[in-house]
Amino acid sequence: MWTSLPVLSFDGYDQLFPYTHSGIIRFIDHVLENRDQDTHVSCFKFLAVYPFPPNFVRRLINYPIDHNVEELDIDLQFHRYKPFKLSTFSSDTLKKLKLRVPLDYDESLRTDSEWVLPALKLSLIHISEPTRRSYI
C-alpha cells in the first residue's frame, strides 16, 4: 500500500534516525527504489537536517521531477551545497514550488537559461548567498 502513496515527506526524519544520516539515506533510498514507479508524486518535501552527499541530494531532486510532481518543497539552507541551476527544477506538472537552496547566479540571470514551469501557480524561492567556502 505505501508503495503507491502520492505524498512523500522527508522532514522530521531526524527524530527517527537521530545522529545517523547513513540510516536516513538507506531509508529514503529504500522508499524511492521500492515505490511503484508508475505512480506520480503529487507532493514531495525534503529538509536536509544533516549534510548529505551531493549525488544523494541530486537523486532526491530528480525523483519527484521525473514522477510528475505537483508540489515540491526542498530545504537545503542549513548546509553548504554546490549551487543548483534553475533548469534542474524544470517541470511541466509543477504547480507549487518552495526552494531554500543555493542557486547558480550566473545561470539564473542569463536570458537563454531554460527554466520551464508552465503549470506553476505559486513559488517561494529563498536564494542563499554563495560564499567562497568549499561546498559539499
Side-chain angles (χ1 to χ4, degrees):
M1 172 132 198
W2 68 268
T3 60
S4 60
L5 291 174
V7 175
L8 298 174
S9 181
F10 300 108
D11 59 350
Y13 53 76
D14 55 315
Q15 301 301 315
L16 297 172
F17 304 95
Y19 312 111
T20 163
H21 75 282
S22 64
I24 296 165
I25 291 171
R26 282 194 308 275
F27 171 74
I28 293 174
D29 277 342
H30 175 78
V31 169
L32 298 183
E33 289 169 7
N34 292 289
R35 193 172 173 281
D36 179 359
Q37 298 303 311
D38 294 328
T39 304
H40 85 282
V41 177
S42 63
C43 179
F44 188 93
K45 295 181 182 183
F46 179 71
L47 167 64
V49 176
Y50 303 115
F52 291 99
N55 60 341
F56 175 74
V57 172
R58 294 210 183 273
R59 275 197 328 268
L60 276 177
I61 291 171
N62 289 338
Y63 187 87
I65 297 290
D66 292 344
H67 287 83
N68 301 318
V69 68
E70 295 174 13
E71 182 178 335
L72 183 63
D73 185 348
I74 304 288
D75 189 341
L76 305 176
Q77 68 181 339
F78 298 112
H79 304 286
R80 301 209 179 280
Y81 288 94
K82 184 176 177 185
F84 290 87
K85 294 183 177 205
L86 279 174
S87 56
T88 304
F89 303 97
S90 289
S91 168
D92 289 335
T93 57
L94 195 59
K95 295 178 182 175
K96 185 176 178 184
L97 175 64
K98 289 174 81 176
L99 293 178
R100 286 165 301 286
V101 300
L103 292 175
D104 182 338
Y105 287 124
D106 294 335
E107 190 266 349
S108 303
L109 297 174
R110 284 193 354 238
T111 56
D112 63 341
S113 174
E114 204 170 307
W115 192 27
V116 180
L117 298 164
L120 190 67
K121 294 183 182 355
L122 176 67
S123 68
L124 170 65
I125 301 174
H126 172 83
I127 301 173
S128 48
E129 180 81 30
T131 64
R132 299 210 180 269
R133 292 174 151 177
S134 60
Y135 297 109
I136 293 175

